[in-house]
DNA sequence: GTCAAGTGAGAAAAGGTTTTCTCAGCTATC
DNA sequence: GATAGCTGAGAAAACCTTTTCTCACTTGAC
């Protein structure tokens, strides 16, 4: 009790429970039980052991603990989203949800390389991860690796899951409805939808929802995910002799940015003449657009949080209903539609 | 040898070295030595054990191995770069360098929260990481946590390190020289530098290098890291009665984007009338700018790779010279300066 | 035929922790 | 005063590997 404290952490290696036991003059079994609030023991002993452990800076070795408990308090996050545009919010949500439970996250970026993916999966399994979350950049694409027969739980987030698995995704239809209803509420009835390639599942889903709310006859322009397509779409809409829209719902923020820039170049005012709404709420694009973009946020952080909690539940043996869970999107009102002073 | 293979991985838990030994009719010691190419043993036995291990799908438990060897083949990456703009390339480089060595990476995003940082650091230490890499978004700011007295090696990458540590950073002065020399080579002698806040170390370093090459009298406009500052800077330059520049070196790609947009709005052609060069090579901005941006790449992936190899070396007990290592930047030529058809 | 050297393989310990089992001593009950 | 039940605490096993030590056996040399 009056020993010199070795603040360097001991000459060799870390402080173990043996050191705690020795310092308290008890056995390691008793020390363990005291620290974990298990077993039978005098309250006074328990407190004393805890105090001594804290004093000498004891921290249990997670490897040893994991070896016995078969829980490593570690999960793996597998992603093929190199840019991290979708992965980072998901990661943030997972981490946020799990840090309280002492769980750390291995991040593995696998590009589209099946061999690399396999290596990472094996490394994670060797390290006894409690579970794996697979995430990506497209709802309708699989990661280039088969995770269906692993003996750890797998949860899919923002990527296509295996049959019978748990999958979290954004509710793109609902997100599109939010956008369209907002435009309608602002009186923008002459709507058009400028979006990405039709072979994307989420593009079709958003377009369908848009047509259901705005009217089946309202036009949809499919293209690519770039600013320049936004420019081109505006050129097409304004050069033809057809109806000029006063509300443009874009498939992502980059297209919206292109659309707004193109409108400005034509002297068309946003939002006075035309309202524009984007999709993704990619801060760096949405906030820098002039005017700042009203856009749909997929709440990817919340999606990550739920995926994290779910994989944890599975790891703890709790059972989880399989299936696809659609999480609601949220409309972020900035200035590209007007109405931003209304409150929502 | 003719046993039924249990492809499910056994009814309970994973396949261990005991299973290999049993299947081969030998002891676990012999199995271990066979698989690790250690000890003395008949070649035939060794091969047979390896074959059987592969057949039944044995993979060693990294936890058990780590407990003994005191190496977890795991490192931690600590970052306060929420957007991940700088962290992701660094992470990719680290992962790329270490995956061959069987090392996995814990990613911990700590924002600016010292308590959160502390929790993550302790979780990593509990999990016996072999080392920690600290990274951030500013060269002249510390992470909100003290890593200097840990008993694992720490390497700093793109953030300010503790005294006596190993730190990797980009050579911003050299990067600025690349940009300025390129403008000069294209005959753009009337240069101006539009950059971020002067209290950033890298801003000062780039500005100093710019002045040394372009001439001490050449103007520098300090501002903020946004597109709108680019617009404002152009307005300032073209509204006054002063000299009109024909080469603009911007402190980052967002400012460059704003500058180019502002120039176009004034009917000034890029690159015919004015050449613009950015900094960061942030694909999403640089490639979508019209025309696409010639810019300086800080080679963060390479920086990550070297940081990874260094922390690994330290973990293996090899000694590494402390100090700051500046890694060269690279000029990425697109079309915003002209000269892109020259070759470089 | 004896001895030394070499070969193949197993037993056991170690790594740090948790958990189950056992045991000695005490209190309460009749 | 004996016995049942309780209390506090320790011994030992278990988790999965690796490594060191030991041992039995073979071979070659004298």
């Amino acid at each position: 009790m009056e020993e010199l404290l070795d603040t360097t952490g001991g000459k060799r290696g870390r402080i173990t429970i043996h050191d705690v036991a020795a310092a308290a003059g008890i056995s390691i079994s008793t020390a363990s039980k005291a620290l974990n609030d298990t077993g039978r023991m005098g309250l006074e002993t328990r407190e004393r052991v805890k105090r001594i452990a804290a004093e000498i800076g004891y921290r249990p070795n997670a490897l040893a603990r994991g070896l016995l408990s078969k829980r490593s308090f570690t999960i793996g996050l597998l992603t093929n989203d190199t840019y991290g545009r979708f992965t980072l919010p998901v990661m943030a949500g997972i981490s946020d949800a799990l840090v309280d439970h002492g769980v750390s996250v291995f991040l593995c970026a696998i590009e589209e390389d099946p061999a690399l993916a396999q290596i990472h999966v094996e490394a994670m399994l060797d390290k006894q991860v409690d579970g794996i979350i697979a995430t990506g950049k497209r709802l309708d694409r699989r990661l280039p690796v088969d995770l269906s027969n692993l003996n750890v739980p797998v949860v899919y987030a923002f990527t296509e899951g295996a049959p019978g698995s748990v999958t979290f995704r954004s509710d793109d239809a609902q997100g599109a409805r939010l956008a369209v209803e907002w435009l309608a509420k602002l009186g923008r009835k002459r709507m058009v939808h400028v979006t990405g390639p039709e072979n994307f599942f989420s593009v079709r889903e958003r377009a369908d929802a848009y047509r259901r709310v705005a009217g089946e006859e309202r036009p949809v322009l499919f293209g690519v995910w770039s600013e320049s397509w936004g420019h081109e779409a505006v050129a097409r809409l304004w050069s033809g002799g057809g109806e000029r829209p006063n509300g443009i719902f874009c498939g992502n923020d980059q297209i919206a940015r292109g659309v707004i820039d193109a409108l400005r170049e034509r002297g068309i005012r946003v939002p006075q003449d035309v309202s524009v709404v984007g999709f993704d709420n990619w801060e760096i694009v949405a906030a820098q657009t002039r005017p700042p973009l009203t856009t749909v946020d997929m709440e990817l952080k919340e999606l990550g949080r739920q995926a994290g909690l779910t994989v944890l539940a599975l790891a703890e043996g709790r059972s989880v209903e399989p299936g696809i869970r659609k999480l609601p999107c949220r409309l972020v009102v900035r200035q590209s539609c007007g109405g931003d002073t209304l409150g929502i």
Side-chain angles (χ1 to χ4, degrees), chain A:
Chain A
M1 215 190 300
E2 302 286 336
E3 302 286 333
L4 293 181
L5 290 185
D6 181 355
T7 55
T8 66
K11 52 187 160 315
R12 187 110 357 252
R14 286 169 56 112
I15 297 162
T16 77
I17 199 168
H18 287 89
D19 301 322
V20 177
I26 54 168
S27 73
I28 57 161
S29 335
T30 305
S32 174
K33 284 182 292 190
L35 295 171
N36 293 302
D37 278 331
T38 59
R40 291 181 317 209
M41 136 185 331
L43 183 61
E44 177 262 347
T45 311
R46 208 182 279 284
E47 297 300 339
R48 191 168 58 91
V49 175
K50 284 183 181 175
R51 185 170 46 73
I52 290 176
E55 273 174 18
I56 67 178
Y58 167 70
R59 306 225 86 217
N61 181 325
L63 263 43
R65 189 179 257 180
L67 188 55
L68 203 49
S69 67
K70 300 185 173 304
R71 287 286 314 277
S72 63
F73 290 92
T74 284
I75 70 156
L77 179 62
L78 213 57
T79 178
N80 68 348
D81 174 29
T82 314
Y83 262 127
R85 169 171 160 195
F86 301 118
T87 294
L88 275 168
V90 172
M91 166 79 201
I94 296 171
S95 182
D96 199 56
L98 298 187
V99 70
D100 299 331
H101 299 266
V103 175
S104 305
V105 182
F106 285 127
L107 179 58
C108 306
I110 59 171
E111 320 283 331
E112 299 297 338
D113 181 346
L116 184 61
Q118 193 60 35
I119 289 172
H120 271 123
V121 169
E122 283 173 4
M124 294 194 299
L125 293 177
D126 289 353
K127 283 162 187 145
Q128 313 292 117
V129 290
D130 295 335
I132 293 179
I133 299 176
T135 187
K137 53 191 170 189
R138 267 185 84 161
L139 293 177
D140 51 355
R141 282 286 185 278
R142 293 270 175 85
L143 257 45
V145 60
D146 180 20
L147 303 172
S148 55
N149 285 317
L150 270 35
N151 52 7
V152 297
V154 178
V155 168
Y156 298 84
F158 207 75
T159 191
E160 173 150 359
S165 63
V166 184
T167 304
F168 289 91
R169 46 160 295 201
S170 49
D171 187 345
D172 288 52
Q174 174 263 353
R177 280 198 301 275
L178 283 179
V180 176
E181 284 164 3
W182 181 240
L183 288 174
K185 183 173 167 190
L186 296 171
R188 306 306 198 176
K189 304 289 186 185
R190 298 199 307 279
M191 281 183 222
V192 60
H193 183 32
V194 180
T195 187
E198 193 168 7
N199 68 337
F200 274 64
F201 173 73
S202 49
V203 165
R204 296 193 300 276
E205 194 160 88
R206 292 172 198 172
D208 290 348
Y210 153 84
R211 285 205 190 94
R212 266 193 298 278
V213 180
E216 294 295 335
E217 78 292 352
R218 301 304 316 169
V220 177
L221 278 64
F222 297 101
V224 294
W225 297 121
S226 73
E227 281 189 36
S228 57
W229 162 234
H231 281 271
E232 189 189 324
V234 167
R236 223 182 271 182
L237 288 165
W238 262 263
S239 68
E243 174 199 77
R244 301 284 156 82
N246 62 1
I248 305 181
F249 169 37
C250 299
N252 77 355
D253 289 348
Q254 284 175 270
I255 294 173
R257 165 86 198 240
V259 163
I260 290 181
D261 285 354
L263 290 174
R264 182 169 349 95
E265 285 171 18
R266 289 174 179 263
I268 300 163
R269 295 168 307 164
V270 175
Q272 293 87 340
D273 302 327
V274 177
S275 291
V276 178
V277 52
F279 210 106
D280 282 354
N281 192 29
W282 196 7
E283 283 284 330
I284 195 60
V285 178
Q288 298 272 323
T289 301
R290 299 182 313 153
L293 204 53
T294 292
T295 184
V296 177
D297 189 307
M298 292 187 284
E299 301 276 37
L300 292 176
K301 187 167 177 182
E302 177 59 24
L303 199 150
R305 197 188 318 265
Q306 296 209 21
L309 292 175
T310 302
V311 81
L312 186 65
L314 288 166
E316 289 171 351
R318 285 180 273 152
S319 88
V320 173
E321 188 78 19
I324 297 176
R325 306 228 202 316
K326 292 188 194 174
L327 269 53
C329 301
R330 177 174 57 98
L331 186 72
V332 178
V333 176
R334 292 197 184 85
Q335 295 150 43
S336 67
C337 292
D340 48 294
T341 53
L342 293 178
I344 183 167

